[in-house]
Amino acid sequence: MTILPPDRDPEDQPSPRARPTRREFLRHAALFTGTVAALGGGLTLLTRRPGAVDTTPGEDLVWRPNHPPGPYDTAEAVTPYREATTYNNFYEFGFGKDDPARRGGSLRTRPWTVQIDGEVRRPQTVDLDTLQSWFPLEDRIYRMRCVEAWSMVMPWLGFPLAALLKRVEPTGQARYVQFTALHDPEQLPGQRSGVLDWPYVEGLRLDEALHPLTLMAVGLQGRVLLPQNGAPLRLVVPWKYGFKSIKSVVRITLTREQPRTTWSEAAPDEYGFYANVNPAVDHPRWSQASERRIGELGRRPTLPFNGYAEGVAHLYAGMDLRQFF
Amino acid sequence: MTVRSPARVPRRPLPWLVPAVTAGGLLPLAVLLSDAWTGALGANPVQRALHQTGLLALVLLILSLACTPLRLVFRWTWPARIRRALGLLAFGYAALHFLIYLFDQGFAPGAVVTDVLERPFITVGFIALLLLVPLAWTSRSDSIRRLGFARWQRLHQLVYVAVSLAALHYWWGVKKDHTAPFLAVLALAALFAVRRVWNRRQPVRTRATQPGD
């Protein structure tokens, strides 16, 4: 009896059998329940990934701008604060969307200094509070499009990168801006895994960096940035995929050469240096023609340059955006 | 099968087993529906449901493939009796996974056809699902008799292709962190290895009783 006959189901052959005793019935009921619990519970534990809940106070407050809309604002509905702070990609805290919200508490955002160097006339290391005090903070309600084909509407608070760059005076040699994020596995537990080459590095061409849409953000929805959103200082480039907008910046370097960037090194066929939002150029594994706005069940068409084409398309005149994706 | 209680009146052994496996396999679906109802699927519920059903399909498929190795190694007879339930549950979750994907694409045939034809990641997942269809179809009790055991068994060996493609689909589907797909591949490799090693160790008995296994 070690080898069974082929998949024949004994269930299907009703035959007269002795009625189970009460004791047997109870035993079978217990075994049934135990098996359901073990298999069902095991499968659930193994496969269920519930969304993060309630990691930040006041998450249900939807921020309403109490000022006239600015020249760059979108009038689209702002993504609720709760979603914007619990659904994040920030691999320094882990790969799960809820990891940054759950584990962000280990990041110390003060004191925080930013080193500005490279091809500038006034290289310096400046304390973040000092840096912030140099410029008036502006509200910018931007669409944000992730390369994974979801999007949000984010009311950032920050200052134009151009203002900072003008203050440190790029030399005539400067053609690119390289950004480096904090590298500290103590504070950023995700960096203990070697999945990406830490620290996270991103870059822009100087004209992209000087574009008035390009923002250095320190706040979101009228509140100080949370770690999961890139505290205490992050880049925001709204016409590019989200991964270009590097978080927790500690260094800004003006360079002559195009900097190597983390994702374009890690997967050059999937993530280019430019990473302009482009519905006509698909990711190898999915179409970029449409996206899901977080909070909606359906999809909406993706706009060229994430809807900012009028302001930025001229930066890429003459470039083949299939090649320079 | 009456080895355990030879003195008793012959009775269907472990009558609770298949119903329990079925109910246990459906429990994650109940949890998923409850999560969807209460909003616990998070900011992108469609994607979350897509990932969960896909993973459930793969895990159940792997469990169904564990039945034969368990029998070979421990000489248990009960795993063979839950194999069909596990396989059908896997197919059910795979079909649900595909339905959610169709919903995600807005049921737009153009987008789906482009995906299936042009993106290897989608192609392999789709083929895996297609391969499971005839297996689910011939899971009925009379199928073995109608097909003949040898043909039925050959057909059901397609599951090896299907599960390998499903694992590849999972591997290609995750961004950068391949820990979970790696574990799935490892489990599959272990199960395949057990079959191979045990079939070699006991060639006479295996060949005599189960040709082609």
Side-chain angles (χ1 to χ4, degrees):
Chain A
M1 277 325 267
T2 51
I3 302 298
L4 273 183
D7 231 2
R8 196 142 50 79
D9 190 2
E11 251 57 11
D12 293 335
Q13 300 157 359
S15 56
R17 299 184 193 282
R19 284 172 62 83
T21 62
R22 184 182 148 84
R23 181 187 294 260
E24 265 180 332
F25 180 80
L26 288 176
R27 198 169 62 90
H28 288 169
L31 286 165
F32 173 87
T33 313
T35 305
V36 172
L39 178 66
L43 284 172
T44 303
L45 280 178
L46 204 60
T47 58
R48 182 174 181 244
R49 301 280 180 276
V53 283
D54 298 350
T55 53
T56 49
E59 73 277 0
D60 288 329
L61 296 174
V62 176
W63 176 72
R64 303 202 191 292
N66 53 8
H67 61 87
Y72 306 106
D73 286 359
T74 169
E76 290 167 50
V78 164
T79 300
Y81 191 64
R82 181 165 175 265
E83 268 72 39
T85 55
T86 55
Y87 191 78
N88 310 97
N89 277 326
F90 196 176
Y91 279 19
E92 280 86 336
F93 288 117
F95 308 108
K97 292 280 188 289
D98 56 335
D99 285 339
R102 219 157 28 88
R103 301 164 83 180
S106 54
L107 180 68
R108 294 186 302 273
T109 56
R110 291 291 188 284
W112 190 277
T113 56
V114 181
Q115 184 183 346
I116 304 162
D117 57 7
E119 293 290 343
V120 290
R121 293 201 179 81
R122 302 169 60 192
Q124 54 197 291
T125 297
V126 58
D127 172 71
L128 181 65
D129 294 313
T130 311
L131 175 92
Q132 218 172 292
S133 71
W134 290 343
F135 317 101
L137 295 186
E138 303 175 25
D139 282 309
R140 301 282 186 92
I141 307 179
Y142 283 163
R143 284 178 293 276
M144 196 211 66
R145 169 64 152 78
C146 178
V147 71
E148 296 167 348
W150 52 267
S151 62
M152 293 186 179
V153 176
M154 306 287 268
W156 300 112
L157 204 61
F159 55 87
L161 176 59
L164 173 58
L165 292 179
K166 276 167 195 154
R167 194 179 164 105
V168 296
E169 297 172 28
T171 70
Q173 309 282 358
R175 293 195 50 224
Y176 292 90
V177 187
Q178 175 186 305
F179 303 85
T180 310
L182 179 67
H183 185 202
D184 182 357
E186 292 279 309
Q187 298 184 59
L188 303 168
Q191 289 180 339
R192 288 170 210 160
S193 95
V195 160
L196 287 177
D197 191 13
W198 312 110
Y200 197 94
V201 175
E202 259 305 339
L204 294 173
R205 227 167 47 193
L206 187 58
D207 57 341
E208 296 176 321
L210 291 171
H211 194 280
L213 279 167
T214 306
L215 196 72
M216 294 307 295
V218 297
L220 175 69
Q221 290 203 11
R223 303 181 178 102
V224 172
L225 272 187
L226 292 172
Q228 56 265 46
N229 295 113
L233 177 72
R234 71 169 291 168
L235 178 68
V236 179
V237 196
W239 71 93
K240 292 176 181 286
Y241 292 121
F243 69 87
K244 288 296 286 186
S245 295
I246 184 173
K247 293 165 169 169
S248 304
V249 172
V250 293
R251 188 174 173 192
I252 300 172
T253 311
L254 282 282
T255 66
R256 301 177 189 204
E257 306 291 330
Q258 179 176 311
R260 294 143 54 97
T261 63
T262 299
W263 273 111
S264 67
E265 292 270 298
D269 53 328
E270 300 190 358
Y271 310 102
F273 176 80
Y274 284 95
N276 292 313
V277 174
N278 190 342
V281 176
D282 289 341
H283 186 275
R285 284 176 280 149
W286 56 82
S287 163
Q288 294 289 25
S290 65
E291 66 199 45
R292 169 168 298 111
R293 178 65 50 80
I294 291 302
E296 296 174 0
L297 283 182
R299 285 175 168 261
R300 54 171 70 209
T302 288
L303 303 170
F305 298 105
N306 203 22
Y308 301 95
E310 205 181 317
V312 301
H314 69 273
L315 296 176
Y316 310 99
M319 280 173 72
D320 178 0
L321 294 179
R322 288 187 173 276
Q323 191 191 342
F324 298 99
F325 61 89
Chain B
M1 250 166 296
T2 51
V3 170
R4 281 190 159 200
S5 51
R8 294 266 194 102
V9 181
R11 183 178 291 156
R12 204 168 57 190
L14 315 179
W16 48 270
L17 182 63
V18 173
V21 167
T22 309
L26 289 172
L27 193 66
L29 179 64
V31 172
L32 179 64
L33 291 173
S34 135
D35 277 351
W37 183 255
T38 59
L41 290 179
N44 200 344
V46 178
Q47 194 189 46
R48 188 81 69 171
L50 193 64
H51 288 170
Q52 268 175 233
T53 49
L55 193 52
L56 280 164
L58 182 61
V59 169
L60 282 159
L61 215 49
I62 290 173
L63 286 181
S64 79
L65 285 168
C67 292
T68 298
L70 282 177
R71 191 197 70 205
L72 291 172
V73 175
F74 299 106
R75 307 206 169 184
W76 291 339
T77 53
W78 60 265
R81 301 183 49 223
I82 60 172
R83 195 168 55 175
R84 171 164 72 172
L86 291 172
L88 282 173
L89 282 163
F91 175 71
Y93 281 113
L96 188 57
H97 178 65
F98 183 65
L99 271 179
I100 296 170
Y101 158 78
L102 289 181
F103 172 82
D104 193 17
Q105 299 296 323
F107 295 102
V112 173
V113 170
T114 309
D115 255 9
V116 169
L117 293 181
E118 290 180 10
R119 288 183 243 290
F121 157 61
I122 303 289
T123 314
V124 296
F126 185 69
I127 294 175
L129 177 69
L130 285 187
L131 290 180
L132 291 179
V133 173
L135 307 198
W137 184 255
T138 57
S139 68
R140 292 174 304 167
S141 305
D142 60 345
S143 294
I144 297 178
R145 188 163 39 78
R146 287 164 69 168
L147 283 170
F149 177 64
R151 274 165 69 198
W152 182 89
Q153 199 182 35
R154 281 208 87 72
L155 178 68
H156 278 247
Q157 281 169 349
L158 279 179
V159 74
Y160 303 130
V161 184
V163 75
S164 304
L165 291 177
L168 185 62
H169 173 68
Y170 187 26
W171 188 282
W172 281 344
V174 306
K175 191 161 90 177
K176 212 61 195 147
D177 175 31
H178 288 114
T179 315
F182 176 75
L183 290 175
V185 170
L186 201 65
L188 276 177
L191 294 177
F192 288 161
V194 171
R195 280 167 202 267
R196 189 152 261 259
V197 169
W198 253 256
N199 282 350
R200 284 223 183 117
R201 266 170 53 167
Q202 291 140 337
V204 179
R205 196 199 60 184
T206 310
R207 269 184 214 148
T209 49
Q210 284 211 308
D213 189 1

